[in-house]
Every structure is written in C-alpha cells, then in structure tokens.
Amino acid sequence: MTLSAHAQAALDDLAARGLLRNARSVESPQSAEMRVDGRTVLCFCSNNYLGLADDPALLEAARLSLEQDGLGSGASRLVSGSMDAHRAAEERLARYLEEEAAILFSTGYTANVGTLQTLLGPDDIAFSDALNHASLIDGLRLSRARVHVYRHSDPDDLERLLRAHRAEGRRALVVSDAVFSMDGDLAPLAELRALADRYQADLVVDEAHALGVLGPRGQGACAALGVRADVRIGTLGKSFGAAGAFTVGSAAVVALLRNRARSYVFSTAPVPLLGRVAVAAADLVEAADARREALRRHGKRLRAGLREQGYEVPDGETPIVPVLVGDARETMSLSAALFERGVFAQGIRPPTVPQGTSRIRLVPMATHTDAHVTQALEAFEDARRSLHR
Ligand SMILES: *Cc1c(COP(=O)(O)O)cnc(C)c1O
C-alpha cells in the first residue's frame, strides 16, 4: 500500500465512525460575534474567555513591538540570546503569579512536554489524573518515568497508588490539570497537595483553563483554593488572548528548565511581540474582575437554562459548560443544527473525550451580552425540537 493509500484508508475509517474532523473557515477575528463559513454567528466554542484576542490594547502592544523588536527571534534563546521582550514577559508573569521565576515557551503543549521531560527521568515516578490534558500525558511519556494513572479527581485512588508505588521512584510528581478542559470541573487541589506532602512528592498543576478566570486577580485555581504548587504551567493562548505559554516555579527549577527542556533548547524562541503582548495582557487580565463576573454570570445562565430544557449538563463552577450527548454523530448533528441557528458551538468527540461521552463544549466569553446568551439558549431549544431529542 502506498503511504497515500494508507492515509486515505485511515481517513475513511474515521469517517465511517463519525470521527473525521474538519475545521470551519473563519473570516473575522475571534470575537463574540464572528464570520464563519460566510455567516455571522455567535462564538461559543473558544477559550478566549475574557475576549482579549482582538483587544485594541494588545493589538497596539503588538504594533509597537514590531517597530521596536522586529518580527523574528532569530534562534533558540540559548543561541541568539534572550530579547528584552522575552525577559520582560517572564519577569511580569513571575510577579503576577508571585513566584521566583518564569520561563516562556511557544505553546502550552511544548511547555508541558518540556517541563515534565526535564523534571522527571527513568528512575522517577508520576501520578497522573485520568483526564489530564494530552500534553501532560506526552510529557510524562517523554520523561520515561513510570506513570500511574489515578481515577479522575479521586484522592482515595491517588492515595492507594501512592501507598503501593511511591517507593518505586526516586523523585515523585503528582500531576493534574487545574480545570479539566473538556468537563470544566476543578481538581481537588488541596487534597492533592496534602497527599503529595504525605508521600514526599511534588505537585505540578496545569492552570491552562484557570488562569485569568479563577482566583484573586485571575491568578488561577491554586490561588483560588490557597494551594501551593511546586510548579505551575499557564498558557497565553486562552484568557490571555494570544499564544505561547510559560512555567513558573522556584529560580532553580526555572534555571534547570532553561538548560534541559528540549522544547525550549531546541526550538526558535517565540516572536518578541508575544513577550510584549504578554506583558500588556497580564495588566488587562489582572484588572479584569468585571469581565470575570460577566463570564461567571453567562456560565451559570447557560448551565441552568440548558438543564431546564432537558439537556444533560454536569455541575461546575467554571465557564466550560459540557452538554453531554454521548454519540459522536448525534453530537455533530446538534452542532450543525446550532450553527444553522447562528451559534458556533463545537462538538467534541473521541479521542479528545472517552468513547460514548461526545459532547458540545459550550464556552461563553466575557464580551458576550446577556442577549447573546439568551440567543444561544433559544438556539438549543429550537435545535432540540428539530432533532426530536
Ligand atoms: C490548551 C491546553 C494546553 C495547551 O496549551 P496551548 O497553549 O494551547 O498549546 C495545555 N494544557 C491544558 C489543560 C489545556 O487545556
């Protein structure tokens, strides 16, 4: 079989199972109202929680940076140097999260992979939540540490595994998302911290969906719950409205990452404008209490309204509202019916979520109006009737 024929067969198989993915075409910025596939629709599927992706202050920071810093970063920072823009962002992000130091990466994916691969080796052991993000899973694989997966958000199961296996590893990490990306639930961080302490392990928390959204000044889930993590990872691609990511921790941990994280050492540094935008975004995110309040209000209304209509929506305290459907094809039909009614709400299927738990992952933005949320609820009501659900 030729490679191309192999690829076609794999695609045909995905299509037969309702799992073929096709991205829609977007002809506008990522804002509350978007142009998608030639229509004006309300966006209810981005992680642009605070609506900063097209914020004028961030666009201005990017423009100024192009004048001042140029476009490219030249090479890995260990080769052609750390530009002012990179250093300014790291200083600002460390201060925001009240940590000794921060290190920028190109994406959250590469931050997680580089961080875990550096902090663990073949003699070490990791305890990882069953629903952790793919990038944490891949980072643990690359580290070659032994990995034990505990049942989702289940401290009892984590303790069972720690008791049985802690001694097998020299160093141990407990690794968790702060907010689980497809379910929107909050990890039991205080319990994870206590267990990590009891079994001489360190705690690594991925704040991707909590940063800017939860906690005082949007500092995230650890800050919201008063829990200390040894290492935290945040992305600049979600509430920060841009792209890129960072890891924060002690000065020594960050210095080790600069030396050993392969996704940092062997990759061209992020464009300098990203550093300038990160600084400007940190200022906006810190001060965005009104936007966080709007986000909370929209999330609560969507959960309550959809449940009233008979949709299956689990409890939760974050703006991620999973509308459980189950079957992958039915999920995509509902997504299409919503789109016809002016609501862009993406269906999520395996392997992003477990088999049989396909869903619409509905995410409001702070920049939606109350009328937008009403419109979304009406679209669900109408779609439900048309699909006889
Ligand atoms: C989105 C996400 C990432 C990846 O971050 P990017 O900056 O998009 O690469 C990592 N972890 C979690 C939990 C995420 O949701």
Side-chain angles (χ1 to χ4, degrees), residues 89-311:
E90 287 169 345
E91 186 277 326
R92 182 69 182 89
L93 292 164
R95 184 152 53 81
Y96 176 38
L97 294 182
E98 301 175 56
E99 286 283 1
E100 284 178 11
I103 171 174
L104 272 184
F105 288 89
S106 294
T107 68
Y109 186 95
T110 56
N112 278 337
V113 163
T115 299
L116 292 173
Q117 161 260 314
T118 301
L119 297 181
L120 291 173
D123 297 334
D124 300 324
I125 192 161
F127 298 87
S128 175
D129 188 286
L131 292 189
N132 272 347
H133 191 262
S135 55
L136 294 171
I137 295 169
D138 293 356
L140 291 174
R141 284 189 184 142
L142 271 180
S143 77
R144 297 191 288 145
R146 187 176 304 204
V147 179
H148 292 282
V149 177
Y150 60 90
R151 282 200 296 270
H152 174 54
S153 283
D154 185 342
D156 292 337
D157 196 45
L158 171 58
E159 175 149 37
R160 178 182 68 77
L161 291 170
L162 281 163
R163 202 182 306 118
H165 300 290
R166 170 62 187 92
E168 293 165 11
R170 190 185 47 179
R171 304 202 51 76
L173 291 185
V174 173
V175 180
S176 182
D177 281 17
V179 169
F180 291 88
S181 47
M182 297 301 136
D183 294 78
D185 54 329
L186 200 55
L189 294 172
E191 288 85 348
L192 301 187
R193 175 79 261 172
L195 287 169
D197 288 343
R198 191 169 323 148
Y199 289 89
Q200 285 93 50
D202 292 309
L203 178 62
V204 174
V205 177
D206 178 353
E207 294 268 15
H209 292 282
L211 187 74
V213 173
L214 300 178
R217 296 183 284 132
Q219 283 173 312
C222 287
L225 299 172
V227 170
R228 187 186 65 79
D230 298 281
V231 171
R232 283 177 285 170
I233 298 101
T235 174
L236 305 173
K238 290 168 182 164
S239 64
F240 273 60
F246 61 92
T247 299
V248 291
S250 73
V253 163
V254 167
L256 181 64
L257 292 174
R258 289 191 199 285
N259 278 272
R260 302 309 297 268
R262 293 167 66 85
S263 57
Y264 177 87
V265 175
F266 297 106
S267 187
T268 302
V271 288
L273 77 78
L274 184 74
R276 305 290 183 195
V277 166
V279 171
D283 293 345
L284 295 182
V285 168
E286 259 197 303
D289 283 346
R291 290 191 187 220
R292 278 185 279 279
E293 182 46 41
L295 196 55
R296 231 185 325 268
R297 187 174 74 245
H298 296 335
K300 270 178 89 161
R301 264 194 77 203
L302 287 171
R303 268 177 212 279
L306 291 171
R307 279 181 162 181
E308 211 164 284
Q309 293 176 18
Y311 284 100

Side-chain angles (χ1 to χ4, degrees), residues 72-94:
S73 63
S76 165
R77 288 164 63 180
L78 298 181
V79 176
S80 65
S82 283
M83 299 175 76
D84 283 345
H86 299 134
R87 288 186 290 111
E90 287 169 345
E91 186 277 326
R92 182 69 182 89
L93 292 164

